[in-house]
Amino acid sequence: MTILSGIQPTSNIHLGNYLGAIRNWVSLSRAQNATPQNSLFCVVDLHAITVAQDPAKLRQAVLEAAAAYLACGLDPAHNSIFVQSHVSGHAELGWILGCQTPLGWLYRMTQFKDKAGKDRDNSGLGLLAYPALMAADILLYKATQVPVGEDQKQHVELTRDIAGAFNHQFGENFFPLPEPLMMGEATRVMSLRDGTKKMSKSDASDQSRLNLLDDADTIADKIKRAKTDPDALPSDAAGLANRPEARNLLTIYAAVQGKSLADVLPEVGGGQFSGFKAKLTAALVDHLPPIGQRMQQLLADKAYLQQVLTTGAANANAIAKPTLQGVMELMGLR
Ligand code: AQP
């Protein structure tokens, strides 16, 4: 088993990124007593530039993402932690796979439709080509498992199609077909302002998300203002139908404690949101600020962060090079 995943350094890392992705990376990595050769986590800066970025903010966001990985418990002795653009094979294989990917497959991707919106002729080519680069991220290391939140499942499935088409044309079984892995209760954390919208770094409202760097007061304030509905909380899952905000807050409450919805519904069912919000705040304040504090400590030691990223990129490069060479030989480029 080889694990690969990543996060875009587009802005603040939030609770959705944590519950849907990073926390699961840590548990997978620990469960398989990972090595830097079979467990790779990158900060996908080349994906971030598919939409406009401020250079200084991007540079800082890359370090914040790396600090988040470490603060959440990824051990650099057991995992390759690196920046995507530091391993040139990502861009090279991304181009090669882009040449093999039909436009129709890319136009079908919901993330492209969401982000390009109605103005798609004005969006960059990179936004459309994003899944071909993501396929390269995964296939460069012949990764077999890709732990992601629900929104990225479609891209991992497209990676399987791209790998399958490549194998069929150039060499049976050159690439393994990677599996998307969605773990835990919170595979899609929703906005605190609108339970039908995904919690997202790019949401204009900071009130819509909980950031890993938020302090206890900010968390309490955001939960206090989080959208609810007028009814009491239900005692069973059927009572959550058509109540997206209630479902989201309860899911967060369960997931942050490592529990399932079924575990927490009997505890809170029948109560009002006001009492529940106090419990939710306490659970979040127990969990998130220690991660944020550890991130701040790491960010104060940039030399250490750079050293982790340099070592990670060297490890990753050593795996990537033979894959790229193999692809080029199969295709007649070498
Ligand atoms: N709301 C979410 N709930 C659960 N998982 C989530 N992920 C993202 N949002 C949620 C998972 O986090 C990992 C990294 O995501 P990404 O940085 O590659 O980009 P994204 O999926 O597009 O996330 P954002 O926050 O919405 O970023 P922007 O706003 O920049 O596009 C992935 O595994 C993702 O599934």
Side-chain angles (χ1 to χ4, degrees):
M1 159 146 117
T2 298
I3 306 169
L4 178 289
S5 201
I7 285 186
Q8 299 182 72
T10 33
S11 181
N12 300 314
I13 308 278
H14 55 71
L15 183 71
N17 301 136
Y18 173 65
L19 294 176
I22 311 179
R23 188 170 72 167
N24 303 327
W25 305 351
V26 175
S27 57
L28 271 175
S29 167
R30 287 182 182 159
Q32 68 155 356
N33 195 18
T35 67
Q37 283 65 45
N38 66 19
S39 190
L40 302 108
F41 298 100
C42 49
V43 179
V44 288
D45 54 348
L46 297 174
H47 285 281
I49 59 165
T50 55
V51 295
Q53 301 295 336
D54 173 271
K57 286 189 185 153
L58 177 61
R59 211 169 279 124
Q60 177 64 17
V62 167
L63 291 177
E64 282 181 14
Y69 293 7
L70 298 172
C72 292
L74 273 186
D75 179 349
H78 287 268
N79 304 276
S80 293
I81 298 169
F82 62 101
V83 181
Q84 181 189 30
S85 69
H86 295 180
V87 180
S88 60
H90 288 257
E92 292 172 75
L93 187 59
W95 174 258
I96 290 171
L97 296 179
C99 293
Q100 313 298 315
T101 307
L103 278 175
W105 292 5
L106 298 171
Y107 283 130
R108 271 199 288 111
M109 295 295 109
T110 50
Q111 188 180 75
F112 173 69
K113 290 187 210 163
D114 288 348
K115 290 200 172 174
K118 294 200 173 74
D119 197 23
R120 75 180 199 183
D121 283 353
N122 279 325
S123 62
L125 170 63
L127 200 58
L128 180 66
Y130 181 115
L133 179 60
M134 181 161 157
D137 301 337
I138 297 165
L139 298 176
L140 198 52
Y141 306 100
K142 299 192 174 176
T144 52
Q145 259 73 28
V146 186
V148 285
E150 199 182 286
D151 64 316
Q152 290 295 336
K153 180 168 175 253
Q154 192 186 35
H155 288 161
V156 183
E157 283 165 352
L158 185 72
T159 298
R160 291 171 66 85
D161 293 340
I162 293 172
F166 183 93
N167 288 347
H168 184 70
Q169 193 174 351
F170 296 109
E172 273 319 313
N173 301 326
F174 182 80
F175 288 125
L177 303 189
E179 300 278 352
L181 267 190
M182 281 150 304
M183 299 162 64
E185 198 65 34
T187 56
R188 188 174 177 85
V189 178
M190 310 308 276
S191 159
L192 299 179
R193 309 289 279 173
D194 177 352
T196 63
K197 243 175 91 182
K198 189 179 79 105
M199 184 177 285
S200 179
K201 295 185 229 88
S202 52
D203 194 313
S205 164
D206 195 55
Q207 291 289 331
S208 70
R209 64 186 158 255
L210 292 163
N211 305 307
L212 290 188
L213 285 173
D214 285 346
D215 61 20
D217 288 347
T218 308
I219 292 169
D221 183 58
K222 287 181 177 176
I223 295 300
K224 196 167 141 210
R225 293 162 182 248
K227 188 174 171 195
T228 56
D229 60 42
D231 296 334
L233 290 160
S235 309
D236 56 24
L240 289 172
N242 303 318
R243 298 185 65 188
E245 283 80 24
R247 176 181 291 279
N248 188 38
L249 295 180
L250 281 164
T251 302
I252 293 173
Y253 182 60
V256 83
Q257 300 177 86
K259 294 181 178 174
S260 69
L261 257 182
D263 292 332
V264 300
L265 279 164
E267 176 199 331
V268 299
Q272 298 301 318
F273 272 103
S274 50
F276 167 63
K277 279 186 167 184
K279 282 174 179 258
L280 174 60
T281 300
L284 287 163
V285 165
D286 247 17
H287 207 85
L288 296 187
I291 296 175
Q293 283 152 18
R294 177 89 188 110
M295 277 177 73
Q296 299 286 17
Q297 286 163 2
L298 287 157
L299 286 165
D301 189 354
K302 292 212 167 51
Y304 172 70
L305 276 181
Q306 298 290 6
Q307 178 228 309
V308 167
L309 294 174
T310 303
T311 306
N315 290 335
N317 218 5
I319 307 166
K321 279 220 149 103
T323 310
L324 196 57
Q325 179 71 19
V327 167
M328 290 189 168
E329 283 172 11
L330 283 170
M331 294 183 73
L333 293 165
R334 289 287 183 277

